[in-house]
Every structure is written in structure tokens, then in C-alpha cells.
């Protein structure tokens, strides 16, 4: 095993142990609220990337209006997206403005293993519609994506240039 793989395994192991400790100590309502609001973080991350705001963030705090520049968003829309992203920890917000953090960096296109495109797909209407069919699909023995769209996710990705990318 390479040194990088060993470090990654150790990091995952430590994360799992820390998560288990928090799960034992935190009130169950807090843990449940965190887990059932997960879609919020997904759609905010998708919006942050799809809007182009994620790639405009850097280490210098800036206002939403400065980050929008000549983009397709207006300043108020950008402000709402950025505040939502700050609320779920995807970037930092101070009196000086919005700036990226280590999670933002992993959404930016220049990141070595960017998760930006994945965030956009997971937040997409086509993916969320599939998850909204989860219970009925499981009860009928089907796969949620196929239940929602009549084909597998892989067939969809192969035929959709945008989602396939």
C-alpha cells in the first residue's frame, strides 16, 4: 500500500471513530436534524458550483456583488446562495465578505479531485426526482432512478451530454 493510501485509510478510520464518539455524546435530535437536512447541503453545493460562484471564491474575502462581477447572477441571488453555502460550512463568511475554505477548494474546477460536477449532478432535478421515488421503488423491488425515469442512471448519463459530463 502506498503512503498516500495508508494516510487516507488512517484519516477515514479517525473520522469514523470521531463520528461515532459524537453520535454517542450529542443529543439525538441534533444528530437526526443533521441527517435529515442533508439535501439542503447538496442543493446548496450544487447551486454554488452551477452558478460559477465556487470558482470565483479565493482566499480574499469579497462581497457577493464583487464575486458576481459581470456574471449571469444578480447580486441579491448571489448573496442568498453564498449565505446558504456559509450556513452549511461550504465557505467562510466574515464582516469583510465571503471567502473559500477547504471544502470550497474541493468544489473548484482546478482541484486535483474536484467534486464540483458531482455536486451539480446530485443537486439536479433528475437526481432529486429519483430519490423522491425511493420508498415506492423499494416497496416494488425497483431501483429509484429507473422508477422515476424509466431507465438506469448509467443509461441516462450515456445519453445526456450535460449530466454525463
Amino acid at each position: 500500500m502506498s503512503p498516500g493510501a495508508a494516510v487516507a485509510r488512517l484519516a477515514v478510520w479517525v473520522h469514523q471513530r470521531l463520528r461515532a464518539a459524537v453520535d454517542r455524546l450529542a443529543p439525538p435530535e441534533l444528530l437526526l436534524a443533521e441527517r435529515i437536512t442533508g439535501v439542503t447541503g447538496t442543493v446548496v453545493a450544487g447551486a454554488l458550483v452551477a452558478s460559477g460562484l465556487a470558482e470565483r471564491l479565493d482566499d480574499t474575502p469579497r462581497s457577493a456583488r464583487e464575486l458576481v462581477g459581470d456574471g449571469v447572477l444578480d447580486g441579491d441571488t448571489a448573496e442568498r446562495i453564498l449565505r446558504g453555502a456559509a450556513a452549511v460550512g461550504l465557505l467562510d463568511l466574515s464582516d469583510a465578505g465571503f471567502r473559500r475554505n477547504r471544502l470550497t477548494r474541493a468544489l473548484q474546477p482546478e482541484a486535483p479531485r474536484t467534486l464540483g460536477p458531482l455536486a451539480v449532478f446530485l443537486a439536479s432535478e433528475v437526481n432529486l426526482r429519483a430519490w423522491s421515488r425511493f420508498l415506492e421503488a423499494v416497496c416494488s423491488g425497483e431501483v429509484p432512478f429507473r422508477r422515476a425515469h424509466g431507465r438506469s442512471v448509467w443509461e441516462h448519463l450515456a445519453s445526456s451530454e450535460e449530466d454525463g459530463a
Side-chain angles (χ1 to χ4, degrees):
M1 179 182 322
S2 72
V7 169
R9 275 190 185 201
L10 177 62
V12 168
W13 182 86
V14 168
H15 177 270
Q16 290 170 338
R17 295 312 168 283
L18 290 172
R19 170 64 85 179
V22 167
D23 286 356
R24 285 191 298 278
L25 297 172
E29 298 83 4
L30 177 65
L31 297 173
L32 185 57
E34 179 184 81
R35 284 167 175 80
I36 66 176
T37 58
V39 71
T40 304
T42 302
V43 297
V44 170
L48 187 65
V49 174
S51 68
L53 289 168
E55 67 185 273
R56 291 188 190 108
L57 288 159
D58 57 29
D59 297 329
T60 303
R62 291 183 284 157
S63 72
R65 295 205 189 285
E66 290 173 304
L67 288 164
V68 169
D70 294 330
V72 295
L73 294 179
D74 63 83
D76 291 336
T77 301
E79 179 88 21
R80 289 192 296 275
I81 293 169
L82 291 163
R83 284 190 175 279
V88 297
L90 296 176
L91 53 87
D92 293 335
L93 171 60
S94 68
D95 290 340
F98 301 95
R99 70 179 186 87
R100 70 181 176 184
N101 63 22
R102 59 192 217 123
L103 297 182
T104 319
R105 285 182 184 92
L107 292 171
Q108 294 178 319
E110 69 274 4
R113 294 177 300 277
T114 182
L115 294 179
L118 180 62
V120 171
F121 175 74
L122 291 177
S124 71
E125 191 270 336
V126 72
N127 184 59
L128 294 174
R129 185 177 339 137
W131 280 105
S132 74
R133 299 294 201 295
F134 180 77
L135 180 59
E136 65 187 73
V138 170
C139 289
S140 67
E142 295 177 89
V143 174
F145 199 95
R146 184 173 295 282
R147 175 78 176 200
H149 302 291
R151 60 185 174 176
S152 76
V153 66
W154 307 114
E155 291 166 329
H156 171 75
L157 293 174
S159 66
S160 169
E161 189 174 319
E162 182 181 344
D163 289 337

